[in-house]
Structure formats: structure tokens, C-alpha cells
Amino acid sequence: MSSERLAALLDEYAELEKRLADPAIHADQNTARRVGRRYAALVPLHKAADELAQTRADLVAARELAAEDPAFADEADSIAATLPALEERLAELLIPRDPHDAKDVIIEIKAGEGGEESALFAGDLLRMYTRYAERHGWLTEVIDAQDSDLGGVKDVSLAIKTKGVPDGGNGVWSRLKWEGGVHRVQRVPVTESQGRIHTSAAGVLVLPEAEDVDVTIDPNELRIDVFRSSGPGGQSVNTTDSAVRITHLPTGVVVSCQNEKSQLQNREQAMRILRARLLAVAQEQADAAASDARRAQVRTVDRSERIRTYNFPQNRITDHRIGYTAYNLDLALAGELDGVLDALTEADRAARLAGDTELTRR
């Protein structure tokens, strides 16, 4: 393990502890939250380093006693046997982790080819993530949505947040970052009169929600257009131009929002999504520039490969990146996603320990 890296992280932990003990930091809740999240992420490392240091000290003491009294030899051997596991745990914690793991997320779900059936499936995915969030005590907020005629969704942006500081720095992103990609469904659509199984898909984009300090946006580089909100099938739901479309001119990123009744509220929500998208763009550019950097977890729907299949006739869910298959699709859609997410997390952990950062390329 890198003693220099360990020392640096423990110094950072001590400095963050001092900052959090200063009442002045809580005058700025955004700063307090950011510092608290980083501190929480370093708590497991601090505990592991303390436990290893204490165990090593106990071993030295036991061996000194054993030199005077052989009765202590068994105790020394017992203590020595615990060291490899503690050293492995600390070495694992020293592996650079995803810098966004403590962040909240914005999930964008878009219906793909397949018409109404794809929109209905996108609605199923929205409910699945909402129920998963509820199981974990997270907060959800639909930022923007375009419903379809039959009750599905053509396009929806869902914000998911933890309450307070996530334990161990494991925020929503650490669990749901694997969900970005094309999700395929195989089932008999409600619009199918002959009972034939159809295949359609929906795209999922997972973005770490950016804070003001993460992304700097020059107002002069934005083009803001307003238009009238519309409902399913183009039906007008607003008599004023309250919907907002924001274009970030340097990158060409376009965000629109029409859920709120006021133009100001829609603009604020659109800016949330824009910050998250620009953070993802910056992360991808940084990873592309560094050959040893981790592959960007966030990818656009257009270039995402199929990552998962939901087969209704077989009640089967299959994640193609790691070969995971389970026959509990009904439970997964009800929000019980920990099985597949645990498998993805474990595969990523094993890959990082082996020095392989290409888990989800496959």
C-alpha cells in the first residue's frame, strides 16, 4: 500500500474534522454538506488505519510477553492471523474511488423506438427507480416530464437525493451510476391484439447532480428561449410562455423544462439539469485525456450499448455487462434492485483490485 497516499488522506481527514467542528462552516449549508460528504467518505479509511495500527501494536506487545512467558505465544499467533485481512481492507480503501460517489443524481429516461410501448416501459423504469429510492429512504423529485397518450412517459428527468450526509460517502451515485445505457424490454404490449411478444427499448442517462462549485457557467454563453408548455399529443396545458429551453453555446448542450407553472421555476430546474450534463461532459473529457483514468460512468443514450434486458414472459432480468441473470423481474420492477446492483458493485470492486477499469465496456 502507498504510505504517502495513506498519510495524505489521514491528514485530509484531520483537516476536515477541524473544519466541521467550526460552527462558522454551517453558515453556508452547501459548503457544510460538501465537506461533510468528503469527511464521511474518509471515515472508513480512518477507522481501518486505526484498527490496523492498534492490531500491530497489540502484536508487538504480545510477542514481548511471549518472550518472557510462552503462554502468550498463542495470543500473539491469533493476533498475527488477523493482520492480512486488515491490510487487505486498508489497501482496498486506498484505491482511488469514483469522485462522484457521494453525490445525488439526476436520472433521465427517454422512450426509444417502439412508440407507445417504449413510452410505457419508460414509465415502468421511472416507477422502478422511484420505488428503489423509497426503499433506501431517499428523496425523489420529478424535474420535468413529457407524458404519452396511454400513461407512459416520452421523456422524464428524476432527481434522487439522500437525506443528510451519506454514510461512508456512499451516495445515490455510488449505487445508480451503473444504470446508464439502453434498457430493453421483451413482452406482449397492451396494444398487441394477437398476443405476440415485442421488443422495445428506453434509454437511461444517469448524471451526478452538480453543485455551483463543480461547474462554472457564464450567463453570456447561454441562449434562453421560452415557449408554451404542452401535454400529451401536443395538447396545450398552459396559456402563457412558461416553458424554458436553455442552450449552452460552447458545447451545444440543450435542456428544456416545462413542468412548473412559472418561467422562473422552469429556468431554475433546467439549470440544474444543465449543470449536471456539463459536469458529465467535463468528466468524460478529463477521462479521455488521461490514459490511466477510469472510464466515464455516464454515457449518452445515443452511444450506449444495450446493458440490460427485461423479459416478462420468463420473469427474467439480465445484465449483459457481467452476465447477471435472475428470475425476479417482478420484484426488480417493484424496486428490489439490490441484487443486480450488488453484483455490479462487486464486479467493479474486483476489477479495480485487479487493476482493470473496463468493467462496463463489455
Side-chain angles (χ1 to χ4, degrees):
M1 69 183 67
S2 169
S3 57
E4 294 82 4
R5 175 170 170 76
L6 175 59
L9 291 174
L10 292 179
D11 286 345
E12 182 184 1
Y13 172 89
E15 178 60 29
L16 292 173
E17 192 171 42
K18 289 180 182 178
R19 291 186 66 186
L20 289 172
D22 183 356
I25 194 174
H26 300 287
D28 183 344
Q29 288 302 309
N30 288 332
T31 299
R33 182 176 173 83
R34 187 173 66 255
V35 172
R37 284 182 168 184
R38 178 56 179 165
Y39 176 79
L42 292 176
V43 166
L45 176 74
H46 179 262
K47 288 183 177 179
D50 268 2
E51 186 176 1
L52 179 58
Q54 184 59 56
T55 301
R56 285 173 171 168
D58 291 344
L59 179 59
V60 170
R63 284 176 172 169
E64 290 176 350
L65 291 172
E68 301 174 1
D69 184 350
F72 287 96
D74 289 343
E75 181 178 349
D77 291 342
S78 178
I79 294 173
T82 66
L83 283 177
L86 295 175
E87 291 169 345
E88 181 179 352
R89 170 63 174 160
L90 184 58
E92 180 180 335
L93 290 170
L94 281 172
I95 296 175
R97 65 184 296 175
D98 189 325
H100 299 314
D101 271 352
K103 288 186 177 293
D104 299 322
V105 305
I106 294 175
I107 297 182
E108 298 183 9
I109 306 172
K110 300 178 184 295
E113 296 181 0
E116 280 295 338
E117 165 60 10
S118 178
L120 289 170
F121 177 51
D124 291 337
L125 294 177
L126 172 62
R127 285 185 290 275
M128 180 180 75
Y129 293 128
T130 300
R131 290 167 178 168
Y132 181 75
E134 291 171 351
R135 288 174 178 272
H136 285 263
W138 297 335
L139 304 173
T140 61
E141 174 193 4
V142 174
I143 299 176
D144 193 46
Q146 296 181 39
D147 298 330
S148 71
D149 292 328
L150 296 183
V153 291
K154 298 176 182 178
D155 192 343
V156 61
S157 296
L158 175 72
I160 305 181
K161 295 177 172 289
T162 58
K163 294 179 181 179
V165 176
D167 185 36
N170 296 312
V172 183
W173 173 261
S174 71
R175 293 299 286 169
L176 295 183
K177 61 186 174 184
W178 319 110
E179 295 303 289
V182 172
H183 295 239
R184 183 178 69 170
V185 62
Q186 296 171 328
R187 65 183 175 188
V188 178
V190 295
T191 55
E192 169 60 51
S193 60
Q194 300 182 23
R196 293 175 298 184
I197 296 174
H198 287 224
T199 297
S200 61
V204 175
L205 182 64
V206 186
L207 304 167
E209 180 153 14
E211 301 175 30
D212 290 340
V213 296
D214 295 324
V215 178
T216 300
I217 300 177
D218 185 346
N220 295 322
E221 296 178 341
L222 299 179
R223 185 176 73 237
I224 301 176
D225 303 304
V226 296
F227 56 97
R228 187 160 298 179
S229 301
S230 60
Q235 177 185 0
S236 176
V237 296
N238 236 329
T239 57
T240 59
D241 293 337
S242 61
V244 173
R245 180 186 300 110
I246 300 178
T247 303
H248 185 247
L249 298 176
T251 61
V253 173
V254 180
V255 176
S256 61
C257 193
Q258 61 177 5
N259 252 35
E260 304 297 337
K261 293 183 179 181
S262 80
Q263 187 182 123
L264 178 59
Q265 290 174 316
N266 281 323
R267 177 171 174 164
E268 291 174 349
Q269 298 289 47
M271 286 297 294
R272 286 177 64 186
I273 299 175
L274 178 62
R275 280 194 294 268
R277 289 191 185 178
L278 292 181
L279 178 62
V281 169
Q283 185 65 52
E284 287 186 339
Q285 291 174 343
D287 286 351
S291 60
D292 60 345
R294 291 199 65 192
R295 185 187 63 82
Q297 296 287 350
V298 177
R299 46 187 136 176
T300 64
V301 171
D302 289 341
R303 63 185 175 89
S304 294
E305 73 273 17
R306 177 195 67 196
I307 64 165
R308 191 174 298 153
T309 295
Y310 304 74
N311 185 294
F312 276 70
Q314 299 177 17
N315 196 36
R316 171 173 55 83
I317 180 172
T318 299
D319 194 286
H320 304 287
R321 294 164 293 182
I322 57 173
Y324 173 93
T325 295
Y327 293 88
N328 61 350
L329 175 57
D330 54 338
L331 297 178
L333 290 174
E336 294 188 20
L337 281 173
D338 280 329
V340 62
L341 296 180
D342 286 345
L344 285 161
T345 300
E346 178 56 29
D348 176 68
R349 186 191 73 85
R352 288 188 296 113
L353 286 173
D356 177 10
T357 61
E358 306 300 316
L359 166 65
T360 53
R361 278 194 189 278
R362 296 190 286 272

